Amino acid sequence: MTGAPLPIREDSFITEVLQAPVPVLVYVWADWCGPCRLMTQILNQMAPQWEGRLKMVKMHADENPVTVKRYKVEGIPTLLLFRGEELLWSHEGVLNQAKLQQVLTAHLAG
């Protein structure tokens, strides 16, 4: 992964997220969502520095309703942080880069 979250769909969620060898940040977004544009820029800027330690993927909310419902995504953008099948953290709304760095560092330390 270089520079941007990898697009995934429901049919690849288990292999790309729940069975990934590293923690995974799932970004739930939609093309009609204004705040998602800002969140996309933030994630694109952050992705290279987390390479190898964290996998970033993005999932379109409208195209993946089963997963959206399963993880109780009610608004977008939403971020979901997984380690294996465990949901470690979730956040609805835009998060600035400094705060997201802080959250990821806290959850992925050690």
Side-chain angles (χ1 to χ4, degrees):
M1 174 200 74
T2 52
L6 172 75
I8 66 165
R9 299 186 57 85
E10 288 177 338
D11 59 3
S12 62
F13 188 85
I14 290 173
T15 53
E16 293 288 347
V17 178
L18 304 181
Q19 295 175 348
V22 295
V24 181
L25 183 66
V26 178
Y27 167 45
V28 183
W29 69 287
D31 39 21
W32 49 262
C33 162
C36 293
R37 292 194 219 5
L38 179 58
M39 199 69 242
T40 297
Q41 289 179 328
I42 292 168
L43 292 173
N44 288 347
Q45 290 169 356
M46 290 178 61
Q49 71 192 71
W50 286 93
E51 194 166 349
R53 297 181 291 157
L54 175 73
K55 180 178 183 178
M56 290 188 187
V57 300
K58 66 181 185 177
M59 177 175 272
H60 196 288
D62 295 337
E63 297 170 6
N64 300 283
V66 174
T67 303
V68 164
K69 185 176 181 183
R70 179 180 301 136
Y71 292 102
K72 299 175 178 61
V73 174
E74 296 178 359
I76 53 172
T78 288
L79 298 171
L80 305 167
L81 180 62
F82 288 87
R83 181 180 286 130
E85 295 189 15
E86 182 185 0
L87 177 59
L88 300 175
W89 172 83
S90 66
H91 177 83
E92 182 181 313
V94 174
L95 206 56
N96 69 44
Q97 190 166 343
K99 180 64 178 166
L100 184 53
Q101 291 280 25
Q102 187 180 20
V103 167
L104 293 175
T105 300
H107 282 284
L108 303 178

